[in-house]
Amino acid sequence: MQVEIKIDSAYTEPKLVNIMGNEIKAVIFQAVLCGILGAGFGVGSVIWEAEEWNLVKQTGVYFILVSVSMMPVAYFNYWMEHSAGGFLSYFVILNDIPLDLTNRIVDTGNVGN
């Protein structure tokens, strides 16, 4: 994995730049996909307003929605390695925190309804 910080322009994965033809097209492509990802998180925020659902159900549904939104965006932006191992490791890292939080909630008995 290569990390590069540029002050004068955005960073885009070199593989994506090669596929898109130049850095400007790659940045625009990333911005569109990140907008779609943001919309997914925005839609997901409605889940927390479902008062008839308990916290575990809300967390599970949000987990699925975020995974379905994030994984294709990460794949097409080359944020993960394009292999089964890369997909699995990204999925585990992406979902480790929500799963740990859910386990803590269940362990304390603070599951709502």
Side-chain angles (χ1 to χ4, degrees), residues 54-108:
N54 66 38
L55 190 55
V56 173
K57 184 175 181 179
Q58 288 173 325
T59 304
V61 171
Y62 188 78
F63 164 80
I64 292 167
L65 180 67
V66 168
S67 296
V68 168
S69 301
M70 182 64 127
M71 297 307 287
V73 170
Y75 182 85
F76 289 119
N77 278 327
Y78 284 86
W79 296 346
M80 71 169 79
E81 184 180 319
H82 285 193
S83 68
F87 181 87
L88 184 61
S89 65
Y90 196 87
F91 184 81
V92 167
I93 291 168
L94 172 69
N95 295 303
D96 184 47
I97 293 170
L99 289 174
D100 184 53
L101 180 61
T102 302
N103 289 335
R104 288 178 190 206
I105 290 167
V106 170
D107 289 345
T108 61

Side-chain angles (χ1 to χ4, degrees), residues 7-29:
I7 303 299
D8 59 340
S9 66
Y11 174 75
T12 305
E13 178 63 38
K15 290 178 184 177
L16 183 60
V17 173
N18 290 336
I19 290 169
M20 299 305 291
N22 63 47
E23 191 170 10
I24 297 298
K25 289 179 184 177
V27 167
I28 292 169
F29 180 75

Side-chain angles (χ1 to χ4, degrees), residues 1-5 11 13:
M1 181 163 89
Q2 178 183 359
V3 176
E4 182 177 331
I5 298 174
Y11 174 75
E13 178 63 38

